[in-house]
Structure formats: structure tokens, C-alpha cells
Amino acid sequence: MSAEASNPAATPTPCEDSQGDGRWMSQHVRFVSECKEREPDVVFVGDSLVQLMHQFGIWRQLFSPLHCLNFGIGGDATQHVLWRLTNGELDNISPKVVVLWVGTNNHGHTAEQIAGGIMEIVQLIHNKLPNAHTLVLGVLPRGRMPNPLRERNAEVNKLVQDALSSLSHASFFNVDPGFVLSDGSISHQDMYDYLHLTAHGYQAVCEPLHAQIKSLLEKPSKQAKLQHQSSPL
């Protein structure tokens, strides 16, 4: 049985238009259009944590200069991102780095299913963009105090980190600077609703992330290495 058949989190699925305004599909169509018009070096893909990053000054300060596209949609789970990437959001572009941040919205799925969905996305990105490096960001803790979703997200991170450890085309990056305080709480100054980040929270996440992306961009690509190896002395 394939991963798709046995795991709903790894089965490409469009987001249900429960509100009837077609916003999710409209955003997807816009992203596909951007792929035909832009030449990004970096593509961010994921849920609202990716989407909202675009609205803060930290995006213009750190990521716009790196020629980034932001393909984040609020509420997306792994199966929604899979559908979007299967249906055109990686076509006609050749980014060097794809940043993937998704998993916290996979309600009703186990940690194993969510990790499987993330790894399915990683494989899809590699199939479509064999010269790109996929940087998978750890799912953040959530909720003001300890709760089962925090435990699930931590387990997802462990499973994904283990699965990525043997791959050369993808890696795991923990972007949690220590949001959980010594008493087990998360501050509203970091996450205003104990899920989404404030400007202060984004700064804590994005500064080390920016350094990691720059390091990946400065590495010679697989294609460049092959060309160098095949060139005559």
C-alpha cells in the first residue's frame, strides 16, 4: 500500500472551500502565475506562519533581498501543500532553496502521519527540483501551557529530523529560540494567540533562519559541481 493510500496527511488534497469565496484556490492560482513571472532563489511554502511573515518588516529586511517568493496559506496542512505543489506551484522556477514550514494544522492526524506527509512533500520537491535544497523548519510549540498538541508537534519534529538525517538534498532546522519558558508557559509577547508569532517572535525565528538560508545559497549547487567535475583540466 502506498503512503498516499494509507496516510491522509500524505495524500494531495485541495482545501475545502467551506466559506464559499474561493480564496484558497485564488491564492494557489496567483502562486502558479508568480512562477511564470519571477525567478526566485528561495521559495517559502507552508501555512499561516509562512504567509504572515510576509507582512512584517523582517521579511523586507532579511528575505526580500534574497529573491524570495512566499507561498504560505493560512490553515494549510501537509495534504494541502502537497496538492498545491503537485499542481503547478513549483513549475517554471529553479530556486536554490525551498523552505518548508507546515504541520501544526494537521488536526486529527498522528505525529507519524504528519511526519509522513512532510516527508512526502520533501520527496515531491526533490522530484520537481532535483538541484534545490529543502530546508524543513521544525513545528513550533503552541498553547499558553503544556498540552497534547505541543507533545505531538515535538514528536513530529523528532521523526522528521531522524528521517532527514540521511538525505543530502534536505535538512531539518529548529527555529524555536526557546518560546516555552521555565514554567511551561509561552508568552503572548512571542505568540499573540499562542500559535501565531508577533513581530518579536518573528525576529527571534527569522534571524537564525536567514543565516542558515544564506549559508545554503553560498554552497555550490549540485549542477555546478557536476559541471566543474566534467570540465577539462
Side-chain angles (χ1 to χ4, degrees):
M1 188 179 288
S2 70
E4 288 186 14
S6 59
N7 182 1
T11 304
T13 309
C15 189
E16 183 182 351
D17 185 21
S18 57
Q19 297 176 358
D21 59 7
R23 284 182 300 121
W24 187 87
M25 189 60 70
S26 296
Q27 291 177 91
H28 166 66
V29 169
R30 174 165 58 86
F31 295 157
V32 173
S33 177
E34 286 187 16
C35 288
K36 298 173 182 174
E37 300 165 358
R38 305 276 294 276
E39 295 182 3
D41 286 329
V42 183
V43 175
F44 282 72
V45 181
D47 54 34
S48 58
L49 289 169
V50 171
Q51 182 182 38
L52 295 174
M53 191 186 296
H54 199 261
Q55 299 179 16
F56 287 86
I58 199 83
W59 178 269
R60 293 184 293 278
Q61 176 191 342
L62 296 182
F63 299 123
S64 291
L66 300 182
H67 308 293
C68 296
L69 286 179
N70 185 311
F71 289 169
I73 299 183
D76 264 16
T78 54
Q79 66 270 23
H80 305 130
V81 170
L82 262 174
W83 190 93
R84 292 199 277 127
L85 300 189
T86 301
N87 288 277
E89 288 188 20
L90 295 180
D91 296 354
N92 305 302
I93 54 174
S94 301
K96 297 173 184 172
V97 177
V98 178
V99 180
L100 175 64
W101 205 8
V102 71
T104 200
N105 293 321
N106 279 77
H107 307 301
H109 296 155
T110 66
E112 289 77 11
Q113 288 174 323
I114 300 167
I118 290 171
M119 293 308 299
E120 193 78 11
I121 299 171
V122 169
Q123 184 61 52
L124 174 64
I125 294 169
H126 186 55
N127 291 346
K128 284 182 169 282
L129 303 170
N131 295 313
H133 187 93
T134 302
L135 187 64
V136 181
L137 307 189
V139 187
L140 291 178
R142 53 184 290 165
R144 191 177 79 84
M145 297 301 292
N147 62 83
L149 288 181
R150 265 198 215 175
E151 296 170 12
R152 185 202 67 179
N153 287 0
E155 180 64 17
V156 169
N157 288 342
K158 182 178 184 302
L159 291 168
V160 171
Q161 188 170 10
D162 288 348
L164 291 171
S165 62
S166 61
L167 301 182
S168 60
H169 60 82
S171 55
F172 180 86
F173 191 65
N174 177 18
V175 289
D176 179 7
F179 285 132
V180 177
L181 305 177
S182 58
D183 64 354
S185 70
I186 288 175
S187 170
H188 70 275
Q189 294 179 342
D190 293 322
M191 296 182 183
Y192 59 86
D193 60 355
Y194 309 107
L195 173 64
H196 297 98
L197 296 168
T198 62
H200 182 265
Y202 269 119
Q203 184 154 3
V205 162
C206 290
E207 287 180 349
L209 174 58
H210 173 258
Q212 182 70 9
I213 293 171
K214 280 201 73 173
S215 173
L216 289 169
L217 289 173
E218 288 163 3
K219 285 184 178 179
S221 70
K222 188 191 302 181
Q223 196 170 24
K225 285 180 181 176
L226 289 172
Q227 288 173 347
H228 176 74
Q229 290 169 358
S230 62
S231 61
L233 295 173

